[in-house]
Structure formats: C-alpha cells, structure tokens
Amino acid sequence: SQTIHQWPATLVQPVGSPLSLECTVEGTSNPNLYWYRQAAGRGLQLLFYSVGIGQISSEVPQNLSASRPQDRQFILSSKKLLLSDSGFYLCAWSVSKIRSGANVLTFGAGSRLTVL
Amino acid sequence: DAKTTQPNSMESNEEEPVHLPCNHSTISGTDYIHWYRQLPSQGPEYVIHGLTSNVNNRMASLAIAEDRKSSTLILHRATLRDAAVYYCILRDSHGSSNTGKLIFGQGTTLQVKP
C-alpha cells in the first residue's frame, strides 16, 4: 500500500532563517506531487506541483521554492523566511494519469510552521 | 476547473443524517465531482467522487442531480468525528494535462451536536 510521510510535523523559525520541509511517498512510482499551504483560518492554497523528477510548476509567486531530486521525494524550501510564511503545509500525491478526472489526492499529516 | 458553491456552515445532531449541498451550474460533461473533508489540524482526506450516477462507499453517499448542476454529499448517521470542513471540487477528465491538481474552495464547515 502507498504511504506518504512529511516532516517535521512542527517547527518554529525566526524571520530570515532558512526552511526545508520534506515529503516522501512509498509504494508507488512516478507519482504527481503537490505542496499546499493553509494559513490560519484560511483555505488551502496550491503552491507547487510536480509531474516528474526535476519538473516543478509554481502556482503563485512567493518566497518559497520546491524541488524534486528523486521520483518520490518532494522538498519545500526558503532561503529567508517571512512572517507571512507561517501556516500549515501539506504535501500530497496522486497517480499520474492523463485525462483522468477520477484521480484522487492523498495528503500527508502536514507540517505546522510558525515564523516569529 | 469549473466553480462550485457551498454553504459556509451547517449544523447537525449526532446520529442524524446530514445532507451537504454543492452547486456547480457550469459543470462540463467530462467533470468529475469530488468530495474531500478536513478534520481539525489534519490534512484533507478523500471522501467520494462520481461522474453521473449516484455513488456509495463506506464513508458516505453522493447523489448527483440528473442535469449534474448540483450534488449532495450524504452522511447517513453523523458522529462527532464527522465534524470537519467538507470540500466539493470538480475535476476535469478531458484535456492533455496530467497534472491532477485540485483547487480547493472554502468548503462547508459541519458542526455536529451531541
């Protein structure tokens, strides 16, 4: 069966410090991978998605970047955190299938980031 | 993806059925209707999806209107653990893109009273 792991679960970082959140998927190959963010009291915002190694698409301009160094590894980074980067970060995966509206997303447990 | 409209919030009593509505008047013939829910402090989880026919699974039922311009998620017996934000999302199955991305709206916050 497939599993998705995300870490760290919680972190508190000072403004201007770097960030690295990691997500890995097991039990599947060539998944589509996604990073979402949920600010306090707000909805889910898609930040990045990837359909393959080294292929990253950004949905919104921001202070963050994403990388996919391996097939089942997705990393969210920042060189210098801002207060506005605080939020609940969620990684998700789905099968890679063209023209399938039935594809289901499976989410990780999330990483809660507080920038002080 | 076409837009969906949901009530901001709903209340239900424990052990009673809950009907969560979703309007999607601009749905295309190839759009799937998906429902996810997000429990407090957790990531969203898949609930159910359908295209034209009503669907049932262990979590819920999905009733799709004949013209597909609306749908209803049915929780047959609400429990306190069902208190969550429920999202109705349309997924296009047509087109050459395989990105599979989901765009979430604000959803419906369901409160379940004991």
Side-chain angles (χ1 to χ4, degrees):
Chain A
S1 64
Q2 300 90 4
T3 55
I4 179 168
H5 302 282
Q6 204 180 324
W7 70 92
T10 307
L11 66 166
V12 180
Q13 296 283 100
V15 169
S17 64
L19 171 74
S20 181
L21 301 178
E22 190 161 342
C23 172
T24 59
V25 181
E26 296 177 358
T28 188
S29 60
N30 193 33
N32 286 346
L33 296 171
Y34 313 85
W35 278 112
Y36 285 82
R37 175 173 63 197
Q38 189 169 36
R42 307 288 295 276
L44 284 150
Q45 180 184 37
L46 178 62
L47 301 176
F48 301 95
Y49 65 91
S50 172
V51 299
I53 296 174
Q55 300 179 61
I56 308 295
S57 296
S58 174
E59 287 290 293
V60 294
Q62 61 205 298
N63 183 44
L64 303 168
S65 62
S67 62
R68 184 171 177 173
Q70 300 181 42
D71 181 44
R72 290 168 290 172
Q73 184 185 28
F74 206 22
I75 298 172
L76 185 70
S77 304
S78 173
K79 292 182 179 177
K80 288 185 178 181
L81 284 169
L82 306 172
L83 287 175
S84 58
D85 291 324
S86 293
F88 190 41
Y89 289 82
L90 290 153
C91 181
W93 77 274
S94 74
V95 296
S96 176
K97 204 170 187 182
I98 292 176
R99 299 186 181 181
S100 177
N103 281 357
V104 171
L105 260 64
T106 301
F107 285 81
S111 297
R112 192 166 299 280
L113 169 66
T114 302
V115 182
L116 300 176
Chain B
D1 292 319
K3 186 177 177 180
T4 63
T5 304
Q6 300 176 253
N8 288 333
S9 62
M10 291 184 65
E11 287 185 355
S12 172
N13 294 318
E14 197 176 11
E15 298 191 3
E16 290 186 356
V18 182
H19 291 236
L20 296 164
C22 181
N23 287 321
H24 27 80
S25 58
T26 60
I27 191 170
S28 73
T30 53
D31 283 337
Y32 279 77
I33 302 160
H34 285 246
W35 284 83
Y36 285 73
R37 73 178 185 180
Q38 186 175 19
L39 280 65
S41 299
Q42 295 187 28
E45 64 174 340
Y46 165 78
V47 178
I48 201 167
H49 75 276
L51 184 61
T52 56
S53 304
N54 294 344
V55 184
N56 299 297
N57 66 22
R58 63 174 182 82
M59 290 182 70
S61 295
L62 176 60
I64 301 173
E66 196 167 334
D67 63 4
R68 299 207 330 122
K69 293 185 177 182
S70 65
S71 61
T72 302
L73 180 70
I74 302 166
L75 307 179
H76 295 286
R77 283 185 69 193
T79 69
L80 297 179
R81 290 185 299 245
D82 291 322
V85 180
Y86 287 79
Y87 299 97
C88 170
I89 306 166
L90 300 184
R91 285 288 307 282
D92 186 12
S93 64
H94 190 67
S96 60
S97 171
N98 70 339
T99 65
K101 58 185 180 179
L102 279 181
I103 305 301
F104 286 78
Q106 293 303 308
T108 297
T109 300
L110 175 66
Q111 292 182 315
V112 181
K113 297 178 180 177

